[in-house]
Amino acid sequence: MASNSTIIQEPAFGEYSDWVELYNAGPAAVNLKGYYLTDNISIPSKWQITGDLTIESKGFVLIWADGLNTTTHPIYKLSAEGEEVGLFSPSLVLIDSITFPVQKTDISAGRNRDGSGVWGFFLQPTPGASNASSEFFSDFTKNSPEFSLRGGIYNSPQALELSSPLGGIIRFSLDGAEPNDLSPEYISPIPISGNSIVRARIFSEGAIPGPVITHSYFLEGDLKSRNLPVVSISSNPDNFWDAERGIYVQNFKPLWEIPANIELFENNGSDRAAFNEPVGIKINGLYSWQLPQKMLGIYFRGQYGSSNLDYPLLFHKGRSSYKNFALRASGSDWSYTLFRDVLGQDASRLNTELDFMDFRPSIVFFNGQYMGIHNIREKVDADYIEKNHNIDPGTFDLVENENYPEAGDLANYTVLEGLLSKDLSDDSNFATVSELIDIENLTDLVIVEMATGNTSIDHNVMAWKPKESGKWKWVIMDLDRGFFNPSNNLIGFYVGQNSLPFKRLMNNEAYKAYFAKRLSDQLYTSFHPQRMKTLINAHASEIESEIPFHVNRWLGATSSYGNAIPSDIYWNSKVCDVRAYVEERPMALLTDLSRYG
């Protein structure tokens, strides 16, 4: 199983890892120490079992392909998009192998009887037990049901008809779960009188049921007048709310990913979803997972459907393809305005060439249940660099917090750190560093942090550079801890940060002068109070009419990370606080420049 979402947890670490089951068909126990298990049959010695691992006669053992490189944990993971698994003896003689196709989540590939030569599929996998105890399917059903109505926003009740021109039985669900063999069979039109999620698939004898087709219908709340795009997420309710496996109800950050379906309705008069795709969903956020409203990571992967979303999801760039995106709940600003972060990102778009995280607000539903305002956002990863800069995979380094290679490796950044450790008051040393750092980019990044007063910069630093050329550049990350007190966190606060090279550059007098002029220029233009208040008004007006619905959804919710907005009056007061901040912040920073001559 190369796509294990809910079937079995690895006992030592509690994660839903890829797994391979070995069966001993022989009459005696076998110690597998010295055997090899590889995911590339042309490289049989890729991973060796180095410790004692005995498999009894007619017994089973699970190998967890999670990349940890221990006795039962190979150095690699399996690809759900299909690959090989081969078992070799200590003398590298091939004992058994399988080349498996794209795997569907939580469906295992296996032999119809233990040790037989006939392979197929199991809807109810039996890791560590006999295959004979589960129903065996020789194939997948290929056809899908046809819906008479597309999902969308409707003004009146509807009657939905389902059909299957190529035969088979249609079964459907209305609670968000994938239909199974116990789900009701479609006989007559389904009445749609309120917010409804209809999921259906074809069942054929002897085959795994066909693809699940999902359509969401919204009749409640007059969504057409509420202006924001609508995101509909459908999944088994237990994936959200179950005490043990629900990602939304844990008192820790759940690391597992749930299979789901996502639709986006632009709410612009279109008669269909902008996209309707199967995806994986995880809880994101280093700390913000503690909030009652969660930040969700949406992942397009081959085991669910398409490995890319080919749609212009966000509008400030030319990007039209995404491997993932986030639905952010505003982090540290969840208790206040819900747009501090995007305000800072938006402000950075004038007079800089900074990479920023594109954005727009939306409203989200889980299985037809309203979940409030979320910001649709880019995620900063390898895909972000590839798509925004039209650069090939594997040709660049992306380094997080100066010590973790999100893409590539640390070799080039280690060279930079060596140069930064020299005395940069020496102009020749500074010149050498400036050959590797885009000085304007880094300076503008620091100015954005300063102008917004953001304090969340000790763990939100991303730098990237092509491996063979170019200079290091930085990406603007989370700014949700900005725009609070205009007199706090002045220039010295940012000079004191160790997460950026800025501290070391400020040892150079010429750079100090450059920084002072650049800061002044940006405060009089990009962060001028008149411009900033125009941006504030724009972001506030986008969500103002939705705020009462959002407040009502989360009213009274509390957490150690923040409490829900108590009223729309309170929200308006917090927007006024941000207006006051942008009025006062530029002069506070310009005055502070006197401390630096």
Side-chain angles (χ1 to χ4, degrees):
M1 176 172 282
S3 181
N4 174 24
S5 177
T6 63
I7 295 301
I8 184 172
Q9 289 177 288
E10 192 282 328
F13 303 100
E15 296 188 14
Y16 289 93
S17 303
D18 303 340
W19 52 267
V20 176
E21 180 186 65
L22 303 180
Y23 169 68
N24 179 7
V30 175
N31 188 342
L32 295 174
K33 182 177 182 178
Y35 282 66
Y36 296 89
L37 192 71
T38 181
D39 65 346
N40 186 339
I41 293 174
S42 64
I43 310 176
S45 61
K46 186 169 182 178
W47 178 73
Q48 187 177 35
I49 300 171
T50 56
D52 289 324
L53 182 62
T54 298
I55 179 169
E56 300 295 334
S57 173
K58 313 304 180 188
F60 307 88
V61 69
L62 287 183
I63 304 294
W64 300 93
D66 53 14
L68 295 180
N69 195 23
T70 67
T71 300
T72 56
H73 298 255
I75 199 170
Y76 50 79
K77 298 180 181 181
L78 299 180
S79 171
E81 298 191 19
E83 63 174 333
E84 304 169 322
V85 177
L87 178 67
F88 289 80
S89 72
S91 58
L92 294 178
V93 174
L94 179 64
I95 296 172
D96 194 17
S97 67
I98 176 66
T99 299
F100 61 88
V102 173
Q103 283 215 321
K104 297 182 182 297
T105 301
D106 288 348
I107 295 176
S108 66
R111 304 173 190 270
N112 68 334
R113 297 186 308 278
D114 303 334
S116 80
V118 179
W119 283 81
F121 307 96
F122 295 91
L123 271 178
Q124 296 177 318
T126 56
S130 173
N131 291 1
S133 63
S134 182
E135 186 177 4
F136 176 81
F137 297 89
S138 59
D139 200 359
F140 287 88
T141 300
K142 307 297 193 301
N143 57 318
S144 303
E146 296 182 1
F147 283 57
S148 64
L149 292 172
R150 298 187 182 97
I153 301 170
Y154 289 84
N155 294 322
S156 60
Q158 305 290 318
L160 171 65
E161 297 180 5
L162 305 178
S163 59
S164 176
L166 298 180
I169 295 173
I170 302 174
R171 295 189 183 277
F172 68 94
S173 70
L174 300 175
D175 64 352
E178 292 191 354
N180 58 35
D181 56 1
L182 299 179
S183 300
E185 179 180 349
Y186 174 79
I187 302 295
S188 59
I190 302 169
I192 306 293
S193 58
N195 289 355
S196 302
I197 310 299
V198 181
R199 310 191 77 186
R201 67 198 307 192
I202 305 296
F203 287 71
S204 302
E205 188 175 352
I208 293 284
V212 178
I213 305 300
T214 305
H215 284 277
S216 300
Y217 304 90
F218 294 98
L219 281 75
E220 301 169 7
D222 191 19
L223 290 178
K224 287 185 178 180
S225 68
R226 285 158 64 177
N227 302 319
L228 294 179
V230 174
V231 175
S232 178
I233 294 172
S234 312
S235 188
N236 187 319
D238 286 349
N239 288 335
F240 295 125
W241 312 118
D242 182 76
E244 292 187 1
R245 50 186 279 208
I247 62 172
Y248 224 85
V249 293
Q250 306 303 329
N251 61 2
F252 58 90
K253 180 182 176 180
L255 299 179
W256 59 90
E257 182 172 302
I258 65 168
N261 193 85
I262 188 167
E263 298 161 86
L264 173 69
F265 301 96
E266 289 289 7
N267 206 358
N268 58 4
S270 173
D271 66 347
R272 68 197 66 190
F275 60 82
N276 184 338
E277 298 284 347
V279 293
I281 295 180
K282 295 177 71 172
I283 299 295
N284 285 175
L286 183 61
Y287 302 115
S288 62
W289 63 265
Q290 300 168 78
L291 288 171
Q293 186 184 21
K294 312 298 182 185
M295 179 167 77
L296 305 174
I298 311 298
Y299 301 91
F300 297 85
R301 307 192 195 279
Q303 67 262 38
Y304 303 121
S306 174
S307 57
N308 274 288
L309 171 65
D310 293 320
Y311 179 75
L313 180 64
L314 299 164
F315 305 145
H316 297 108
K317 305 176 181 180
R319 184 176 179 184
S320 60
S321 181
Y322 300 79
K323 288 186 180 298
N324 53 60
F325 64 88
L327 293 169
R328 286 180 60 104
S330 298
S332 296
D333 190 37
W334 186 69
S335 303
Y336 306 103
T337 74
L338 304 179
F339 64 75
R340 272 181 163 85
D341 184 17
V342 297
L343 172 65
Q345 303 274 342
D346 202 2
S348 74
R349 295 171 53 224
L350 179 66
N351 293 339
T352 81
E353 295 183 4
L354 287 168
D355 282 311
F356 64 96
M357 300 161 64
D358 209 350
F359 52 84
R360 63 168 164 149
S362 70
I363 52 181
V364 173
F365 289 81
F366 285 177
N367 292 337
Q369 177 185 345
Y370 179 74
M371 298 298 290
I373 298 169
H374 294 69
N375 285 309
I376 302 173
R377 300 294 299 276
E378 289 181 288
K379 292 174 69 68
V380 179
D381 56 10
D383 186 54
Y384 173 96
I385 301 298
E386 292 163 18
K387 301 292 173 53
N388 280 303
H389 293 277
N390 193 27
I391 187 170
D392 291 333
T395 63
F396 60 90
D397 297 319
L398 176 62
V399 177
E400 181 178 6
N401 299 331
E402 298 197 303
N403 59 16
Y404 176 76
E406 178 71 28
D409 55 53
L410 292 174
N412 282 327
Y413 203 84
T414 300
V415 171
L416 173 62
E417 287 189 310
L419 296 173
L420 287 169
S421 67
K422 298 182 181 297
D423 179 9
L424 297 190
S425 66
D426 184 307
D427 288 341
S428 63
N429 289 339
F430 185 91
T432 302
V433 166
S434 65
E435 290 298 313
L436 292 182
I437 286 180
D438 185 324
I439 297 295
E440 180 179 297
N441 169 276
L442 176 62
T443 305
D444 282 343
L445 177 89
V446 172
I447 289 171
V448 170
E449 300 282 357
M450 286 183 184
T452 62
N454 185 47
T455 59
S456 181
I457 59 173
D458 57 341
H459 61 279
N460 281 314
V461 178
M462 284 284 208
W464 78 279
K465 188 184 87 68
K467 282 185 173 292
E468 304 300 330
S469 62
K471 298 183 178 183
W472 285 101
K473 296 184 179 184
W474 280 259
V475 182
I476 299 178
M477 298 294 288
D478 303 351
L479 299 172
D480 49 284
R481 295 184 189 174
F483 301 102
F484 281 97
N485 190 322
S487 302
N488 286 358
N489 304 317
L490 299 174
I491 297 170
F493 173 80
Y494 297 93
V495 174
Q497 297 299 313
N498 293 317
S499 55
L500 289 166
F502 177 66
K503 176 179 183 179
R504 303 174 200 181
L505 300 186
M506 285 291 279
N507 290 320
N508 185 275
E509 291 300 318
Y511 177 77
K512 275 188 183 180
Y514 168 79
F515 160 72
K517 183 178 186 305
R518 189 74 180 173
L519 175 62
S520 300
D521 289 346
Q522 294 287 22
L523 293 176
Y524 276 102
T525 55
S526 304
F527 293 94
H528 191 287
Q530 182 175 325
R531 176 176 186 256
M532 291 302 297
K533 284 188 282 188
T534 299
L535 293 180
I536 291 168
N537 293 341
H539 287 290
S541 65
E542 273 191 306
I543 62 174
E544 184 173 16
S545 63
E546 191 64 30
I547 287 296
F549 299 96
H550 180 92
V551 167
N552 185 60
R553 169 62 180 85
W554 294 106
L555 190 62
T558 62
S559 74
S560 59
Y561 201 71
N563 300 328
I565 297 170
S567 68
D568 52 349
I569 295 174
Y570 177 87
W571 176 80
N572 272 297
S573 73
K574 295 298 125 181
V575 174
C576 289
D577 289 347
V578 178
R579 290 193 184 100
Y581 174 95
V582 301
E583 185 72 46
E584 300 174 29
R585 183 64 170 179
M587 190 52 66
L589 288 172
L590 289 171
T591 301
D592 194 46
L593 271 176
S594 63
R595 296 180 58 190
Y596 295 87

